[in-house]
Amino acid sequence: MSAPSPPDPPAAPSLPPPYPDLAARVNNWGRWGADDEIGTLNLITDTVVRVAAATVRTGLRVPLALPLRQDGVQSGAIPGRVNPLHTMVQINRRLFGPDSVATSDDTVTMGLQAATHWDALPHASHSGLLYNGRPADTITAHGGARFSSIATATHVVSRGVLLDVAAAKGLPRLTTGHAVTPEDLDGAEEFGGVTVGAGDIVLVRTGQLQVYLAGDRAAYAYPSPGLSVRTPEWFHARDVAAVANDTLTFEICPPEIENLWLPVHALDLVEMGMPQGQNWNLEDLSTACGETGRYAFLLSATPEPFLGATGSPVAPVAIL
Amino acid sequence: MSAPSPPDPPAAPSLPPPYPDLAARVNNWGRWGADDEIGTLNLITDTVVRVAAATVRTGLRVPLALPLRQDGVQSGAIPGRVNPLHTMVQINRRLFGPDSVATSDDTVTMGLQAATHWDALPHASHSGLLYNGRPADTITAHGGARFSSIATATHVVSRGVLLDVAAAKGLPRLTTGHAVTPEDLDGAEEFGGVTVGAGDIVLVRTGQLQVYLAGDRAAYAYPSPGLSVRTPEWFHARDVAAVANDTLTFEICPPEIENLWLPVHALDLVEMGMPQGQNWNLEDLSTACGETGRYAFLLSATPEPFLGATGSPVAPVAIL
Amino acid sequence: MSAPSPPDPPAAPSLPPPYPDLAARVNNWGRWGADDEIGTLNLITDTVVRVAAATVRTGLRVPLALPLRQDGVQSGAIPGRVNPLHTMVQINRRLFGPDSVATSDDTVTMGLQAATHWDALPHASHSGLLYNGRPADTITAHGGARFSSIATATHVVSRGVLLDVAAAKGLPRLTTGHAVTPEDLDGAEEFGGVTVGAGDIVLVRTGQLQVYLAGDRAAYAYPSPGLSVRTPEWFHARDVAAVANDTLTFEICPPEIENLWLPVHALDLVEMGMPQGQNWNLEDLSTACGETGRYAFLLSATPEPFLGATGSPVAPVAIL
Amino acid sequence: MSAPSPPDPPAAPSLPPPYPDLAARVNNWGRWGADDEIGTLNLITDTVVRVAAATVRTGLRVPLALPLRQDGVQSGAIPGRVNPLHTMVQINRRLFGPDSVATSDDTVTMGLQAATHWDALPHASHSGLLYNGRPADTITAHGGARFSSIATATHVVSRGVLLDVAAAKGLPRLTTGHAVTPEDLDGAEEFGGVTVGAGDIVLVRTGQLQVYLAGDRAAYAYPSPGLSVRTPEWFHARDVAAVANDTLTFEICPPEIENLWLPVHALDLVEMGMPQGQNWNLEDLSTACGETGRYAFLLSATPEPFLGATGSPVAPVAIL
């Protein structure tokens, strides 16, 4: 059997300028073969993981997930993205007689992108195409995403780096309209005394999650600071494996360029094939890194392997 | 403010002999204070984690979760424990115009104990009591478990040890009626050249999951090999933090002692306060450990923080 | 086998005055036997139904249900009472080949009391008791309500009577703080030229639903006009089978008597054993009855038979 | 504004013979205008309803729905069509203090076609088209069916006619391979002393539901007796409004014509625009009609108005 042919060169995208130029500079289609489904997660090599494990100094573990609860971050503005509805289907039920051991069981209904989560690559498409040039209509109601579903991200463990943009600027949190630029990322690297490298998972802290933690989920959601359309190129240059932050929209919203909505989603997920994380709680991590002066750590953040899903809740832990 | 008083000594349990004697030998109530909610997870200290990180040699990562899918391991025999129902609520939806970036979104409904999961401590009760002597009726329909819910297990990262009981016996899998004994665990330790210690997470391989992987989920579920009622004492003696295996019922089922159903659940969860994991896929890990001859590794297995839940799916990863 | 003994006389309720006096006047426990589960639905006899069918003059059918949709009447204020989440699990799927017939399938997750619905009798309890003196703890997480669940209301078809309180007062809708009194019901009877009789299903229109229809679901929900604590006696005197209205809370909310919340729920559901309906859209019916001058009709309003449920969505139709 | 132009003549369907000929004979596209969404439900006129109400003799009500429960008729063979999962989200919760009235609340997750239900017209498509020539891709993951969703069937009340094919043949139930033919329907009409007319809702009894009621849901589902591909023409000739029966598949399954699966679905739903009902319990109705010798009655069977849904559970009641 012959090797699969490489994907066709990407069609000229139908998105407006400057999207096509930005896309051309970060596109990874075919880089790991025509059959590749995991994109930049390929950059997490065994060597990277060994180095990551070696960063552990104190053994302190910092959890980065918000609790999964019905009054979670979703305000109802995104149809179908429902906060977790937790129900008990057994409470102390003694199935084997009045003096037997009792058990309790639970169910949940939730949007997979509702809480602290990873976007899988097919979460975004444009011009009818997904990462690696696959047709967008390979996502169906009965099977979900045939390619690059979150279930292909079977082990997301690497070196994590906190780029604490808010702290680097001496702010508790960025202002609503602030687009995080490559220069901001440079500044946060310098602030943290750390250099982002190949296979790293980068956590960008804006401080915006404080707005939710203070009780205002509508204001948390929108408008929101977030990553600039110029950041994918920065991540691409360093061969980052994945990026997560502490906002609902990931990128600045409303967008920097009129009528070009969600360009960072398209650049990261579709062109680069790089997973994105949202609604991560980076507050305790900011404190811990600030106290130790160390901004690199082992990060374990494997999503739940929902077959066909375009995202998943995740309970990330930083190990310092 | 004065310290909370220690919990009352456990009431004489209403379960039949030999349960009361076994319980007395492993009970941890009050050991970490009257307010403790996490039981043996307290044994995962920073030191344990540092040592665990230092076990990483190759950087190889082995995922231990089954894919989350509608034809998962549940056969319908346990009411309410439904396999994951994954649905798409947006498919390539262009919210911002015909040539805009499109997004896809998912939801899920599932039993939290349906797939590869952790049991939280309140998953079991007996004689009206939960771990640390709390009343079982603190679990309610509207809030779930008030104490020790899975959301309190915010970071489950430690040294993992595979006790490959099937391989130690030279069998592909244990026979249906085989109760894994302390002697079997000793034998697997010796086979693996490893000594289980305080704070370790022990993975006990029976090979039973092969029955599900071969397509027969009814036979996988029941009858099943599993842990003997004598094993909690073994885990207690070594101060293990948690135990998981590759069966649906965790313990041998039907049970060893007539009319004493789920005794291991009660001993582990209620008396010791030790989380249990079920439906873990240990097949690839068995191969990897067999090839390297090393049966200890860094294990990352943090559950999703469902507030009030008595269990959660988990996507564990062993890092060798 | 001997006949079941009649239920004990109701325990002195622990609710504050004037509840005990009101309860004593409307209590129906034992009226239809100790085993009865359906309360006032017993009053819908075959004769009542024949008479109801004979009220049909024009054949006009007026639907009274709100569409089931994610932006339904629930605002999130009542935990767990979630608006319908509709998902497609198959879209034009051709299971039998490329040129075969295709099918589409749906699922829903919703609160059973979230939309236009009936409350089953066990939806309310007080002093540890349900209708007919049954213990409230016969409702469990794994089975729901053992007695009087909505599945026992297998056919709710009777004469319907619209008491258009708002129209009788010449108002588009009642003011927020208006408690509908027995005198208001008398006035609406006179306005409609109709006399409420045994087995009737009474629909009380306040006009409050207009607030939701105009787009403000928070203001629709609370504060709300609704039935006074004095109305159950009025319904009891006429041997009404069931009552529904066009509010979220059914009764006036906040309540008329300080610290006595939901007294009408307790009087109707627990004491009388009379089902209640909420969030019914009576706007078109008000118009139709106003135009024809006839306020009695055949009403078909059978809930979905959810086993163990304490309520159900319903799609009522008035046939004039 | 000009009237909408009539739909294009249907494209030559891509389904194999004899489908195109059968389709041409029953097609109703354009019959009620290009904008029509409800098809043969248009045939239920006010006059039909008046006549239907006049059929009521005794006032006896016979419910035709199966209870909604987790061990319902679905065996798991149809992916995503899940039996109802009923959960309690509040049990006797006293929100307003220890001596206040308590309430209980429920949620459900279920397939809308899982139990006793109506198929809406867009439940089936072929050759890329739905009823009235609308494109099949007007069904989307985020909105469901844009046209002819079940929410457009706001009042389904008409004369019901039981065609008791099994009883007419002197059988408890039809054999598995029996396709109900037009001649069978003629025979059942004669047996019942009734003539099917315009606007009637026809209930065809095979007796197959007894297999489920006896506990074997796999055998109930498949293979199954059901309607022959020749019956749509019979219904079309009489201008029937809707047809329901007591099987899972509605039509005979496996089908009469090799490689032509679900032809009756396509003829009824797509060509004629006639709703179909499945899993109706006609056993008690068979008894009641047999005892009274009257096979026509008032039937009330309005589905729940799920916006965008291609089906809905229904709790039909026959009023004799």
Side-chain angles (χ1 to χ4, degrees):
Chain A
M1 189 181 120
S2 64
S5 58
D8 291 339
S14 56
L15 300 179
Y19 188 86
D21 283 350
L22 294 169
R25 277 181 258 157
V26 302
N27 188 281
N28 278 329
W29 298 5
R31 177 173 172 187
W32 296 283
D35 282 353
D36 179 61
E37 300 194 40
I38 62 169
T40 54
L41 293 181
N42 284 293
L43 297 163
I44 308 179
T45 60
D46 286 0
T47 305
V48 165
V49 174
R50 280 200 307 273
V51 170
T55 63
V56 174
R57 290 286 185 283
T58 65
L60 178 73
R61 291 131 286 155
V62 182
L64 309 180
L66 292 168
L68 293 165
R69 55 196 303 167
Q70 213 191 330
D71 50 353
V73 297
Q74 299 302 320
S75 65
I78 305 175
R81 199 176 281 190
V82 292
N83 284 316
L85 174 68
H86 168 247
T87 63
M88 302 299 307
V89 285
Q90 315 269 0
I91 297 181
N92 296 308
R93 189 173 187 197
R94 294 181 296 268
L95 273 172
F96 303 102
D99 286 336
S100 67
V101 175
T103 54
S104 296
D105 259 39
D106 323 59
T107 64
V108 76
T109 296
M110 68 179 292
L112 295 183
Q113 291 83 7
T116 304
H117 72 277
W118 282 120
D119 288 340
L121 306 187
H123 174 63
S125 67
H126 76 83
S127 315
L129 295 174
L130 302 168
Y131 166 69
N132 228 2
R134 292 198 168 93
D137 63 9
T138 52
I139 310 178
T140 61
H142 58 272
R146 198 186 317 159
F147 300 105
S148 300
S149 95
I150 199 70
T152 62
T154 50
H155 43 76
V156 180
V157 178
S158 190
R159 191 176 79 140
V161 173
L162 175 66
L163 296 185
D164 196 337
V165 175
K169 291 181 174 295
L171 297 170
R173 59 185 176 89
L174 302 181
T175 55
T176 290
H178 188 94
V180 174
T181 62
E183 294 74 27
D184 289 338
L185 300 178
D186 289 336
E189 259 190 319
E190 191 175 354
F191 173 82
V194 67
T195 304
V196 170
D200 282 351
I201 299 174
V202 174
L203 311 181
V204 180
R205 182 172 169 271
T206 68
Q208 174 73 0
L209 194 79
Q210 295 169 6
V211 179
Y212 167 70
L213 295 175
D216 190 344
R217 59 186 180 187
Y220 164 63
Y222 182 88
S224 176
L227 298 180
S228 163
V229 72
R230 296 168 51 215
T231 56
E233 207 170 343
W234 194 94
F235 298 126
H236 188 256
R238 280 147 190 82
D239 263 346
V240 160
V243 177
N245 74 9
D246 54 353
T247 71
L248 189 98
T249 52
F250 191 72
E251 55 191 281
I252 180 152
C253 205
E256 303 155 278
I257 299 164
E258 210 182 333
N259 291 327
L260 182 55
W261 291 81
L262 299 178
V264 179
H265 276 65
L267 292 166
D268 285 355
L269 298 169
V270 182
E271 310 291 348
M272 256 203 280
M274 183 185 78
Q276 296 179 164
Q278 283 117 302
N279 303 314
W280 291 39
N281 185 348
L282 305 177
E283 297 304 298
D284 288 350
L285 184 62
S286 172
T287 303
C289 291
E291 287 174 358
T292 61
R294 299 183 59 254
Y295 284 80
F297 36 83
L298 177 61
L299 179 70
S300 183
T302 302
E304 301 300 321
F306 289 103
L307 213 69
T310 70
S312 169
V314 65
V317 177
I319 306 152
L320 275 68
Chain B
M1 187 182 119
S2 64
S5 58
D8 291 340
S14 57
L15 300 179
Y19 188 85
D21 283 349
L22 294 169
R25 276 180 258 158
V26 303
N27 187 282
N28 278 330
W29 297 5
R31 177 173 172 187
W32 295 283
D35 282 352
D36 180 59
E37 300 193 41
I38 62 170
T40 54
L41 293 182
N42 283 292
L43 297 163
I44 308 179
T45 61
D46 286 359
T47 304
V48 165
V49 175
R50 280 199 306 273
V51 170
T55 63
V56 175
R57 290 284 185 286
T58 64
L60 178 72
R61 291 131 286 155
V62 182
L64 310 180
L66 292 168
L68 294 164
R69 56 196 302 167
Q70 212 189 332
D71 50 353
V73 295
Q74 299 303 319
S75 65
I78 305 175
R81 199 175 281 191
V82 291
N83 283 317
L85 174 69
H86 168 248
T87 63
M88 302 299 307
V89 285
Q90 315 268 1
I91 297 180
N92 296 308
R93 189 174 187 197
R94 294 181 296 267
L95 273 173
F96 303 103
D99 285 337
S100 66
V101 175
T103 53
S104 295
D105 259 40
D106 323 59
T107 64
V108 76
T109 296
M110 68 179 291
L112 295 183
Q113 291 83 7
T116 304
H117 72 276
W118 281 120
D119 287 342
L121 306 186
H123 174 62
S125 67
H126 75 83
S127 314
L129 296 174
L130 302 168
Y131 167 69
N132 226 3
R134 293 200 168 90
D137 63 10
T138 52
I139 309 177
T140 61
H142 57 273
R146 197 187 316 159
F147 300 104
S148 300
S149 95
I150 199 70
T152 64
T154 50
H155 43 76
V156 180
V157 179
S158 191
R159 191 176 80 139
V161 174
L162 175 66
L163 296 185
D164 196 339
V165 175
K169 291 181 174 295
L171 297 170
R173 58 183 177 90
L174 302 181
T175 55
T176 290
H178 187 94
V180 174
T181 62
E183 295 72 29
D184 289 338
L185 300 178
D186 290 337
E189 259 190 321
E190 190 174 355
F191 173 81
V194 68
T195 304
V196 170
D200 283 351
I201 299 174
V202 174
L203 310 183
V204 179
R205 181 171 170 273
T206 69
Q208 174 74 0
L209 194 79
Q210 295 169 5
V211 180
Y212 167 71
L213 295 174
D216 190 343
R217 59 185 180 187
Y220 164 63
Y222 182 89
S224 175
L227 297 179
S228 162
V229 72
R230 294 169 51 216
T231 56
E233 208 169 343
W234 195 94
F235 298 126
H236 187 256
R238 280 147 189 82
D239 264 346
V240 160
V243 177
N245 74 8
D246 54 353
T247 71
L248 189 97
T249 52
F250 191 73
E251 56 192 280
I252 179 153
C253 205
E256 302 155 277
I257 299 163
E258 208 181 337
N259 290 327
L260 181 55
W261 291 81
L262 299 179
V264 179
H265 276 65
L267 292 166
D268 286 353
L269 298 169
V270 182
E271 311 291 347
M272 256 204 278
M274 184 184 78
Q276 295 179 167
Q278 282 117 303
N279 302 315
W280 291 39
N281 185 347
L282 305 176
E283 296 304 299
D284 288 349
L285 184 62
S286 173
T287 303
C289 291
E291 288 174 359
T292 61
R294 299 183 58 253
Y295 284 80
F297 36 82
L298 176 62
L299 179 70
S300 184
T302 302
E304 301 299 322
F306 289 103
L307 213 68
T310 70
S312 169
V314 64
V317 178
I319 306 151
L320 274 69
Chain C
M1 189 182 119
S2 63
S5 57
D8 292 339
S14 56
L15 300 179
Y19 188 86
D21 283 350
L22 294 170
R25 278 181 256 159
V26 303
N27 188 281
N28 278 329
W29 297 6
R31 178 174 171 186
W32 295 283
D35 282 353
D36 179 60
E37 300 193 40
I38 63 169
T40 54
L41 292 182
N42 284 293
L43 296 164
I44 308 179
T45 61
D46 286 0
T47 304
V48 164
V49 175
R50 281 199 306 273
V51 170
T55 63
V56 174
R57 291 284 184 284
T58 64
L60 178 73
R61 289 131 287 154
V62 183
L64 309 180
L66 292 168
L68 294 164
R69 57 198 301 168
Q70 213 190 330
D71 50 353
V73 296
Q74 300 302 320
S75 64
I78 305 175
R81 199 175 281 190
V82 292
N83 284 317
L85 174 68
H86 169 247
T87 63
M88 302 299 306
V89 285
Q90 315 268 0
I91 297 181
N92 296 308
R93 190 174 187 197
R94 294 181 296 268
L95 274 172
F96 302 103
D99 285 336
S100 66
V101 175
T103 52
S104 296
D105 260 39
D106 322 60
T107 64
V108 76
T109 296
M110 67 179 293
L112 294 183
Q113 292 82 8
T116 303
H117 72 277
W118 282 119
D119 287 342
L121 306 186
H123 174 62
S125 66
H126 76 82
S127 315
L129 297 173
L130 302 168
Y131 167 68
N132 226 4
R134 292 198 169 92
D137 62 9
T138 52
I139 309 177
T140 61
H142 57 272
R146 197 186 318 159
F147 300 105
S148 300
S149 96
I150 200 69
T152 64
T154 49
H155 43 76
V156 180
V157 179
S158 190
R159 190 175 80 139
V161 173
L162 175 66
L163 296 185
D164 196 338
V165 175
K169 291 181 175 295
L171 298 170
R173 59 183 176 90
L174 301 181
T175 55
T176 290
H178 187 95
V180 174
T181 62
E183 295 73 29
D184 289 339
L185 300 178
D186 289 337
E189 259 190 320
E190 191 175 354
F191 173 80
V194 67
T195 303
V196 169
D200 282 351
I201 299 174
V202 174
L203 311 182
V204 180
R205 182 173 168 273
T206 68
Q208 175 72 1
L209 194 79
Q210 295 168 7
V211 180
Y212 167 70
L213 296 174
D216 191 343
R217 61 185 179 188
Y220 165 62
Y222 183 88
S224 176
L227 297 180
S228 163
V229 72
R230 294 169 51 216
T231 56
E233 207 170 342
W234 194 94
F235 299 126
H236 187 256
R238 279 148 190 82
D239 264 346
V240 160
V243 177
N245 74 10
D246 55 352
T247 71
L248 189 97
T249 53
F250 191 72
E251 56 191 280
I252 180 152
C253 205
E256 303 155 276
I257 299 164
E258 210 182 333
N259 291 326
L260 181 54
W261 291 81
L262 300 179
V264 179
H265 276 65
L267 291 167
D268 286 354
L269 298 169
V270 182
E271 310 291 347
M272 256 203 279
M274 184 185 78
Q276 296 179 165
Q278 282 118 302
N279 302 315
W280 291 39
N281 185 348
L282 305 176
E283 296 304 298
D284 288 350
L285 184 61
S286 172
T287 303
C289 291
E291 288 174 358
T292 60
R294 299 183 58 255
Y295 284 80
F297 38 81
L298 177 62
L299 179 70
S300 185
T302 302
E304 301 300 322
F306 290 103
L307 213 69
T310 71
S312 168
V314 64
V317 177
I319 306 152
L320 275 68
Chain D
M1 189 182 119
S2 63
S5 57
D8 291 340
S14 55
L15 301 178
Y19 188 85
D21 284 349
L22 294 169
R25 277 181 256 158
V26 302
N27 187 281
N28 278 329
W29 297 6
R31 176 173 173 187
W32 296 284
D35 282 352
D36 179 61
E37 299 193 42
I38 62 169
T40 53
L41 293 182
N42 283 293
L43 296 164
I44 309 180
T45 61
D46 287 359
T47 304
V48 164
V49 175
R50 280 199 307 274
V51 169
T55 62
V56 175
R57 290 284 185 286
T58 64
L60 179 72
R61 289 132 288 155
V62 182
L64 309 180
L66 292 168
L68 294 164
R69 57 196 303 167
Q70 212 189 331
D71 50 353
V73 295
Q74 299 302 319
S75 65
I78 306 175
R81 197 175 282 190
V82 292
N83 283 317
L85 174 68
H86 169 247
T87 63
M88 302 299 307
V89 285
Q90 315 268 1
I91 297 181
N92 297 307
R93 189 174 188 197
R94 294 181 297 267
L95 273 173
F96 303 102
D99 285 337
S100 66
V101 174
T103 53
S104 295
D105 259 39
D106 323 59
T107 64
V108 76
T109 296
M110 68 180 292
L112 295 183
Q113 291 84 5
T116 304
H117 72 276
W118 281 120
D119 287 342
L121 306 187
H123 174 62
S125 66
H126 75 83
S127 314
L129 297 173
L130 302 169
Y131 166 68
N132 227 3
R134 293 200 167 91
D137 63 10
T138 52
I139 309 177
T140 61
H142 57 273
R146 197 186 316 159
F147 300 105
S148 300
S149 95
I150 200 69
T152 64
T154 50
H155 43 76
V156 180
V157 179
S158 190
R159 191 174 81 139
V161 173
L162 176 66
L163 296 185
D164 196 339
V165 175
K169 291 182 173 296
L171 297 170
R173 58 184 177 90
L174 302 181
T175 55
T176 290
H178 187 95
V180 174
T181 61
E183 294 74 28
D184 289 338
L185 300 178
D186 289 337
E189 258 190 320
E190 190 175 355
F191 173 80
V194 67
T195 305
V196 170
D200 283 351
I201 299 173
V202 174
L203 310 181
V204 180
R205 181 172 170 273
T206 68
Q208 174 73 0
L209 194 78
Q210 295 168 6
V211 180
Y212 167 71
L213 295 174
D216 190 344
R217 59 186 181 186
Y220 165 63
Y222 182 88
S224 176
L227 298 179
S228 162
V229 72
R230 295 169 51 216
T231 57
E233 208 170 342
W234 194 94
F235 298 127
H236 188 256
R238 280 147 189 83
D239 264 345
V240 160
V243 177
N245 74 9
D246 54 352
T247 70
L248 189 97
T249 52
F250 191 73
E251 56 192 280
I252 179 151
C253 205
E256 303 155 277
I257 300 164
E258 208 181 336
N259 290 328
L260 182 54
W261 290 81
L262 300 178
V264 179
H265 276 65
L267 291 166
D268 286 354
L269 298 168
V270 181
E271 310 291 347
M272 258 204 277
M274 184 184 78
Q276 295 179 166
Q278 282 116 303
N279 303 314
W280 291 40
N281 185 347
L282 305 177
E283 297 303 298
D284 288 349
L285 184 62
S286 171
T287 303
C289 291
E291 288 174 358
T292 61
R294 300 183 57 254
Y295 284 79
F297 37 82
L298 177 62
L299 179 70
S300 185
T302 303
E304 302 299 321
F306 289 102
L307 214 68
T310 71
S312 169
V314 64
V317 177
I319 306 153
L320 275 68

